[in-house]
Amino acid sequence: QVQLVESGGGLVQAGGSLRLSCSASGRTFSRYNMGWFRQAPGKERELVARINRSGSTTTSADSVKDRFTISRDNTKNTMYLQMNSLKPEDTAVYFCAATDRAWPTRVNEYDYWGQGTQVTVSS
């Protein structure tokens, strides 16, 4: 198993930036494909971005493309989400998740989850 802990959330004005971190412990971090998800009040959890085991391949949701960047440092057992040009609609709880399945996109395909970190963007 792997344990995940998110950090870096907070309150920011529209147009600002935040960097989220996801620290992993337990089994070898580099064996997992990783993803950032978010869930706004009253909405379903959605995939924001994902990154493969080595960090060589990433994908992002259209809503955050060109604003958010996912990355990982396997030597530090940590994944990041750099969020720029934040908008009020980015307000949500952000979760990191891990899976040893092959490149999934659905929530139920990720087996390990952090507790989430709140991101609030004011207008």
Side-chain angles (χ1 to χ4, degrees), residues 11-120:
L11 173 64
V12 63
Q13 290 188 331
S17 298
L18 284 174
R19 188 174 83 153
L20 305 183
S21 298
C22 174
S23 297
S25 61
R27 300 191 73 175
T28 306
F29 180 61
S30 59
R31 69 174 284 161
Y32 297 102
N33 290 316
M34 301 290 296
W36 282 103
F37 290 76
R38 67 185 180 187
Q39 188 166 19
K43 294 189 176 181
E44 292 187 352
R45 193 169 298 189
E46 62 174 355
L47 179 64
V48 174
R50 56 181 178 155
I51 188 166
N52 71 343
R53 294 176 177 88
S54 67
S56 61
T57 302
T58 65
T59 65
S60 301
D62 288 342
S63 59
V64 305
K65 207 174 292 287
D66 298 327
R67 298 189 299 120
F68 291 11
T69 302
I70 188 172
S71 63
R72 67 191 293 167
D73 185 341
N74 287 344
T75 67
K76 296 182 178 179
N77 293 344
T78 304
M79 176 179 66
Y80 304 98
L81 186 68
Q82 178 66 44
M83 305 187 295
N84 299 328
S85 302
L86 282 159
K87 304 176 181 180
E89 50 264 44
D90 295 318
T91 295
V93 178
Y94 284 71
F95 299 89
C96 66
T99 181
D100 55 11
R101 304 177 200 228
W103 208 223
T105 58
R106 294 183 290 185
V107 171
N108 62 5
E109 294 176 313
Y110 284 78
D111 302 304
Y112 306 102
W113 293 83
Q115 82 289 348
T117 185
Q118 177 71 46
V119 172
T120 303

